[in-house]
Amino acid sequence: MPTRPSPLPPVTSSTAAASGPASAPPVAAPAPRLPALLAALLGFFVITIDVSAVNIALPAVGEGLDGGMAGLQWVVDSYTLMFAALMLSAGSLSDRIGARRAYGWGLGLFTAASLACGLAPTMGALIAARVAQGAAAAVMMPTSLALIRQAYAEAGERARAVALWTAAGAVALAAGPVLGGLLTSALSWRAVFFINLPVGVLGVALLARVARSPRRPAPLDAGGQLAAVTGPAALTYAVIEGGHGGYGRPSVLGAFALALAAAVAFLAVESRAAGPMVPPSLFRRRAVAVPVVIGFTLNAAFYGTVFLLGLYFQQERGLSPLAAGATFVPMAAATTVTNVTSPRLTARFGAPAVIVAGLLTGALGVAGLAATGPGSPTALAVLLMVPVGVGGALAMPPLTSLMLDSVDAGRAGTAAAVLNTSRQVGGALSVALFGTLVTGDFAAGMRVSLLLAAALVLAAATLTAATLRHTPPPTH
């Protein structure tokens, strides 16, 4: 489960309306529906493969643009932060202008930003282009699923289409590291971004054959959105720059203060806004607040670990980009299989038990990686990566379902957006922190980072067992 977006994006009101009998468009023939499905699949595929491939290309990026660890951290986090923060209001944008138009804008921007990434002459230019990529991905994720719901009015056919959409992400998850390593080894790290261009052009062409999406009035929470972007970005800046240049510098202290002020402002705006992105009442429910915390913790441990491993295999083990990418294949394959089996286990044993089992499995894998040393076989590290991916894939589906089942249907999109955002922010902050810890002695810093990750996941398992143990299994 490399750095990737969650397969459960927000459900907008227009999306939900498209699936209802009152407002659903007439059932179309299979041929006209295919372009919508293919466009949605391509979008999810390219978003997922981009982030997983970039992880493997990071050492080559640093060498090619003369960038240090801080620059590489921002290459990852600039994308992740924008993706996380803007997803909160992406549903409202889709409602206002229609899913097809919003998706087209997002896909067009993502394609143009990919070109800018591939042509970037400096690390600063690459980071700026990654910001644009993250913003585009935030729009594409929810609207890609909205296109499917709009095209497939019948529930059974829609379920099969959504399954294909999810499979596209799983394929990209497994192929991303290998493709990133292959392109970097054979051509250049720039090819990792150029590969998005033909996919983007094909997706835009397919959209021309997709029916127009309905529009609905939806408020845009500008104040809340500004605070949601400012707070995590300022905190990430403070962690990265403080770790490399000292936490006592005025710019770092100012960034910490700005992050705190943005958090306070966000709470104030959301409590007073007529149409808040994140209603404060949502967190009064234990089955919402706890999954948000666990999702943050789980992704912080996982994303930080994957970030370090991509560097470790190349810089410390001397593997080529292609060989380093291949080390992620067993974990990706096991993750894909576990994602499919996790719902069945949840139906039998209940969400809390499966979540705890997944967290303990992931913690065991991360702790095992921390115990390996420079003399340990590479195959052992590859083997220990498998429970890291399996643990996350085991825990996240029931965690997501538990949260969505605890809110009204009208709040499902908001709940999914909050969970996705907390996960992405957790990943961004872990990359910021772990990257600073390995700046000096990589081996020692990596061990400390992995031990911290294992401790966080164990704490999440304890929290789950203590607060959610009485949640009954779903009834069918």
Side-chain angles (χ1 to χ4, degrees), residues 78-84 86-87 110 113 129-139:
S78 57
Y79 177 96
T80 304
L81 287 170
M82 291 303 294
F83 180 86
L86 293 182
M87 192 184 295
F110 190 90
R130 289 285 283 170
V131 169
Q133 268 194 321
V139 176

Side-chain angles (χ1 to χ4, degrees), residues 100-121:
R100 188 187 75 162
R101 177 175 294 184
Y103 185 77
W105 285 5
L107 184 57
L109 176 59
F110 190 90
T111 305
S114 297
L115 177 62
C117 287
L119 297 175

Side-chain angles (χ1 to χ4, degrees), residues 218-267:
L220 290 177
D221 185 2
Q225 182 61 82
L226 178 61
V229 172
T230 302
L235 181 58
T236 302
Y237 173 88
V239 173
I240 292 177
E241 299 302 322
H244 291 286
Y247 288 100
R249 290 186 299 162
S251 61
V252 174
L253 294 176
F256 276 122
L258 179 59
L260 179 60
V264 173
F266 182 80
L267 294 176

Side-chain angles (χ1 to χ4, degrees), residues 130-227:
R130 289 285 283 170
V131 169
Q133 268 194 321
V139 176
M140 291 169 62
M141 274 293 290
T143 51
S144 66
L145 191 57
L147 287 176
I148 292 177
R149 291 195 174 185
Q150 173 185 320
Y152 292 85
E154 197 275 321
E157 293 182 343
R158 185 168 61 247
R160 288 188 288 272
V162 171
L164 290 174
W165 179 85
T166 304
V171 171
L173 167 64
V178 177
L179 181 60
L182 178 62
L183 292 173
T184 302
S185 296
L187 299 173
S188 163
W189 63 265
R190 298 180 185 275
V192 173
F193 296 104
F194 289 147
I195 196 68
N196 298 334
L197 304 185
V199 178
V201 171
L202 177 59
V204 172
L206 287 169
L207 280 180
R209 300 185 58 196
V210 176
R212 290 186 178 183
S213 302
R215 304 182 189 180
R216 293 176 177 272
L220 290 177
D221 185 2
Q225 182 61 82
L226 178 61

